[in-house]
Amino acid sequence: MEKVVKITRTQSYFSEMKGKIRIVSLSDLHFSKKMSFQRLQAIMKLISTLEPNYIFWLGDNLDNTNVLEIAEKREEFLEVIKMSGEIAPTAITLLDHDMRYQLDNGMLEDLQKEFWQEVSDNKNVHVLDNDIYEDDSIRVVGYTMPTYYYHGKYPLPEDSIGSSDRKDEDVWVLIEDMRKKQRLFIPREGKLNELLFHSSIHLRNGIIQSKLKGFHHVHSGHMHEGLTPPIFDELMPRTLGMISPQRTLFPVQARNIFQTNYGTLCIINGGITKIAESQKAALQKLNSIFPIHVDVLDVECDSHKVKSYTREFSYTNLDY
């Protein structure tokens, strides 16, 4: 289904909103040397027809930084980001794969600061590495989860009180890091407060929810829709997936949408690439089963529909 796109539309209402805002988000591009530039151009053309006010890239934009060693692919990625900025103000967050150099026997942390600065130099493009974009209508926070959160074998910082004996995506490592970066999680009154928060795995945790309560929407990816085939998409419980990136079965925050106990709406994007080039070649063939996923979020004021939402989806084809 390389040419099939699942477009999920969410209509969200808040009494304090002024006017109407449309956000289009995409996640987990996992840009690699095998990725077709024509396909990426077609995705951006489709996004343009959706007429967004803002575009969010939710992390794992690269499969690994090795691809940046290929001059042609580097320029292709920069061109796609330039296209995004020409359509609408674009916020990009960075995650594990965006700062990972793949070796034959492992990986190295590799944040290419000069490259991401070059990305951010494009008009209307904002790379939010634990940073904030703000204008008259919206406040967008890009939270970068540290690599040692994703990988239990990575050493913790010296000031950490966490245990060195921990699993991948340990919730207490995440909570500790969020406490250190508390400035990011303070909402701005009178504006739409949006958070780019790549991994959705712990969004049901009470402590995490309390820290995110000032945001209207949390935009996540990472889960690749739990590798849930479209045939099961509407049959399975709302957010349940088939398998997680950690290879655990039936993850409960894998896809779709839910509200926290504080009314924050969590939207989990299914991703552009389901199985990346860095995975086994035999598994990559399964990409033909899954459609590309693009989220459209329309937010408007309605004093009678405080913190409520509706959601629907449809399919379309890429033209290339």
Side-chain angles (χ1 to χ4, degrees):
M1 290 192 178
E2 290 191 351
K3 291 189 176 183
V4 178
V5 182
K6 177 182 177 181
I7 300 177
T8 309
R9 297 176 181 269
T10 303
Q11 181 74 59
S12 184
Y13 304 93
F14 291 92
S15 59
E16 63 266 33
M17 270 294 298
K18 297 177 181 177
K20 182 177 179 179
I21 288 176
R22 171 169 289 181
I23 298 167
V24 171
S25 59
L26 57 155
S27 184
D28 297 280
L29 177 63
H30 287 272
F31 183 72
S32 66
K33 62 184 180 182
K34 292 182 180 179
M35 193 160 287
S36 162
F37 182 52
Q38 289 71 29
R39 184 168 179 249
L40 295 179
Q41 288 178 308
I43 293 171
M44 297 316 301
K45 182 179 178 181
L46 172 64
I47 289 175
S48 179
T49 66
L50 297 172
E51 300 182 335
N53 300 109
Y54 302 92
I55 300 173
F56 294 167
W57 293 66
L58 305 178
D60 283 350
N61 311 288
L62 308 178
D63 195 25
N64 49 53
T65 59
N66 305 59
V67 70
L68 301 180
E69 297 175 337
I70 306 170
E72 180 182 2
K73 302 307 290 186
R74 181 187 179 105
E75 291 306 312
E76 286 180 2
F77 184 83
L78 289 170
E79 181 61 28
V80 170
I81 296 297
K82 179 182 177 182
M83 292 172 65
S84 184
E86 289 172 346
I87 296 168
T90 295
I92 302 173
T93 191
L94 306 181
L95 276 303
D96 172 41
H97 281 264
D98 296 316
M99 47 186 123
R100 172 197 293 188
Y101 188 88
Q102 196 73 35
L103 301 171
D104 291 337
N105 59 347
M107 52 193 169
L108 296 174
E109 188 170 347
D110 181 35
L111 176 57
Q112 296 269 339
K113 291 184 178 181
E114 290 184 4
F115 172 74
W116 292 111
Q117 182 58 56
E118 189 174 357
V119 170
S120 204
D121 286 342
N122 283 286
K123 184 179 179 180
N124 275 341
V125 175
H126 310 274
V127 177
L128 304 181
D129 179 16
N130 291 317
D131 208 348
I132 299 167
Y133 165 78
E134 193 166 357
D135 61 23
D136 292 340
S137 303
I138 196 169
R139 182 176 186 268
V140 186
V141 174
Y143 171 53
T144 303
M145 298 174 176
T147 52
Y148 58 79
Y149 160 69
Y150 287 102
H151 305 287
K153 64 182 180 180
Y154 277 31
L156 291 168
E158 292 182 0
D159 62 347
S160 174
I161 60 173
S163 170
S164 58
D165 180 21
R166 66 193 193 281
K167 59 185 179 180
D168 294 346
E169 297 206 51
D170 191 295
V171 66
W172 297 110
V173 173
L174 181 61
I175 290 169
E176 180 182 63
D177 187 68
M178 291 176 69
R179 284 174 174 163
K180 290 178 180 178
K181 298 168 183 171
Q182 185 62 39
R183 68 173 183 86
L184 295 173
F185 305 105
I186 301 173
R188 185 64 62 94
E189 294 293 330
K191 293 187 179 183
L192 187 65
N193 288 276
E194 303 294 291
L195 175 63
L196 315 187
F197 190 89
H198 182 68
S199 176
S200 61
I201 284 178
H202 297 303
L203 285 177
R204 298 278 188 185
N205 179 277
I207 299 174
I208 300 291
Q209 289 194 5
S210 69
K211 290 187 172 297
L212 306 183
K213 64 183 179 182
F215 292 94
H216 294 97
H217 305 93
V218 174
H219 303 262
S220 297
H222 183 56
M223 299 300 290
H224 303 250
E225 217 162 14
L227 294 186
T228 305
I231 193 172
F232 296 127
D233 194 25
E234 295 306 302
L235 298 176
M236 295 178 65
R238 183 182 294 268
T239 62
L240 188 71
M242 301 292 286
I243 190 168
S244 77
Q246 294 76 26
R247 297 178 175 82
T248 57
L249 293 176
F250 306 118
V252 294
Q253 275 83 249
R255 60 195 184 92
N256 220 313
I257 186 170
F258 68 94
Q259 271 184 307
T260 70
N261 296 331
Y262 300 90
T264 300
L265 201 58
C266 298
I267 302 172
I268 307 170
N269 186 273
I272 300 297
T273 303
K274 296 299 192 291
I275 302 174
E277 186 181 332
S278 53
Q279 302 298 316
K280 293 180 180 179
L283 293 176
Q284 293 174 40
K285 295 178 180 179
L286 294 175
N287 277 313
S288 61
I289 299 174
F290 303 102
I292 295 166
H293 190 201
V294 173
D295 262 306
V296 179
L297 171 65
D298 287 317
V299 192
E300 60 183 295
C301 175
D302 192 321
S303 60
H304 301 292
K305 296 181 178 179
V306 178
K307 293 191 175 181
S308 65
Y309 68 92
T310 59
R311 189 161 167 89
E312 60 183 24
F313 72 91
S314 60
Y315 291 93
T316 189
N317 291 315
L318 287 180
D319 182 19
Y320 72 99

